[in-house]
Amino acid sequence: MIWVAATLIAATAQTARNAAQAGLTRQVGTMGATAVRFVFGFPFAAAALGLAAIWLPIPRPDLSVLGWATLGALAQIAATAFMLVTMRGQGFGVATALMKTEPVTLAVISAIVLAEPLGAARMGAIGLATLGVVLASGVSWGRAGWGSVATGVLAGALFGLSAIGFRGALLALPDGGYVLRAVTILAITLGIQSAVMMAWLALRDRRGLSGIMREWRVSLGAGFLGTFASLFWFIGFALTPAANVRTLALVEVVMAQVLSGRLFRQRAAPLQLLGMGLILAGVGWLLAVAAA
């Protein structure tokens, strides 16, 4: 059950990274803030791989590994773009709820692409937890346009596809333990994403590029937190199907609601409380099935 601890660590670190990135949006723009997690995260991943190489032989990636890693890297960038489109159209709450449908699409894609069917019990747990997210979001779905719903679900599906790419790359490595595999794929993936985002900023958003360099201290902190979170996501992906990891990560929604109540005195509506209960029930069901 190491994947459980890795997932919880990753979700916590990701929350901290999101907070760091949010503070950069006004200074460097949306695309600049998005690029920070890749551009400033890559040096940490490269350093971790270099340290690992001192004591252990690094697995040599073949074309299959590079293909899976590229799929995951590009799908994650595209997912982020559709997420931003959804947020502009419907706001944070609707976008978040739609993207958290990721475990469902991820389970379907896993069964098709990686031949990892999860079975009726796990699919039931995933569906229950996802329904809980929709209720816990507290958004008014009557006001959500079909266009934004489509881009939000597509963002979730692309995030799921990126997780499939990462797990495929991890499984395709010829040797190495799960931590070494995670570090190797992390460095490869962030290298690809950094190159793509730097090229985009240089060609389309020079202001954002100069902004992240000017705010390098905050950017470096966000990059470190992003790399730390991704390392533990990859450890989880190396040990269990990605749908299990992403479903367990839905507890982040509950933690965010509790934090909002403690810090901002925001009271949850009864329907939101029901949603949080369904998330916990779905996650508990998943863990029970996984441990059986």
Side-chain angles (χ1 to χ4, degrees):
M1 300 294 283
I2 295 174
W3 70 270
V4 175
T7 301
L8 294 176
I9 292 172
T12 303
Q14 180 168 286
T15 301
R17 185 211 67 201
N18 290 342
Q21 278 186 287
L24 285 169
T25 304
R26 291 184 180 180
Q27 287 78 17
V28 304
T30 301
M31 290 305 295
T34 301
V36 161
R37 63 179 292 189
F38 307 125
V39 174
F40 285 86
F42 175 64
F44 293 106
L49 185 62
L51 288 174
I54 296 175
W55 293 284
L56 298 169
I58 301 300
R60 294 186 178 182
D62 56 16
L63 290 178
S64 175
V65 173
L66 294 177
W68 283 113
T70 301
L71 171 65
L74 298 182
Q76 191 174 53
I77 292 175
T80 303
F82 280 108
M83 175 188 72
L84 296 174
V85 170
T86 307
M87 286 183 175
R88 282 201 303 266
Q90 293 295 331
F92 183 80
V94 172
T96 300
L98 290 170
M99 285 183 298
K100 291 301 184 182
T101 60
E102 174 195 352
V104 176
T105 56
L106 179 52
V108 174
I109 296 172
S110 294
I112 297 172
V113 177
L114 294 179
E116 291 182 335
L118 298 177
R122 295 194 188 203
M123 284 299 299
I126 291 170
L128 184 64
T130 303
L131 174 61
V133 170
V134 174
L135 296 179
S137 66
V139 300
S140 176
W141 293 100
R143 299 179 181 178
W146 285 109
S148 293
V149 170
T151 56
V153 172
L154 181 57
L158 285 168
F159 276 123
L161 184 60
S162 71
I164 292 296
F166 299 146
R167 177 160 168 80
L170 288 160
L171 295 178
L173 278 176
D175 49 31
Y178 60 87
V179 175
L180 185 59
R181 288 170 181 261
V183 172
T184 303
I185 297 303
L186 178 63
I188 294 172
T189 300
L190 283 177
I192 295 170
Q193 292 171 322
S194 296
V196 170
M197 292 306 299
M198 285 295 287
W200 172 272
L201 292 175
L203 294 174
R204 303 293 299 272
D205 191 1
R206 295 284 183 87
R207 184 178 179 181
L209 179 58
S210 61
I212 63 175
M213 297 304 174
R214 185 176 59 252
E215 301 290 337
W216 65 270
R217 290 183 179 83
V218 179
S219 298
L220 204 60
F224 170 76
L225 289 171
T227 301
F228 184 77
S230 294
L231 174 60
F232 283 93
W233 285 130
F234 284 14
I235 288 174
F237 293 154
L239 294 171
T240 190
N244 289 347
V245 174
R246 290 306 198 193
T247 302
L248 176 58
L250 293 180
V251 298
E252 177 187 351
V253 176
V254 179
M255 290 190 291
Q257 288 285 358
V258 172
L259 190 62
S260 295
R262 294 291 298 274
L263 295 181
F264 305 111
R265 300 294 188 267
Q266 295 176 350
R267 298 183 63 181
L271 202 59
Q272 290 177 289
L273 293 174
L274 174 61
M276 287 187 278
L278 291 179
I279 293 172
L280 295 176
V283 168
W285 184 5
L286 176 71
L287 294 178
V289 173

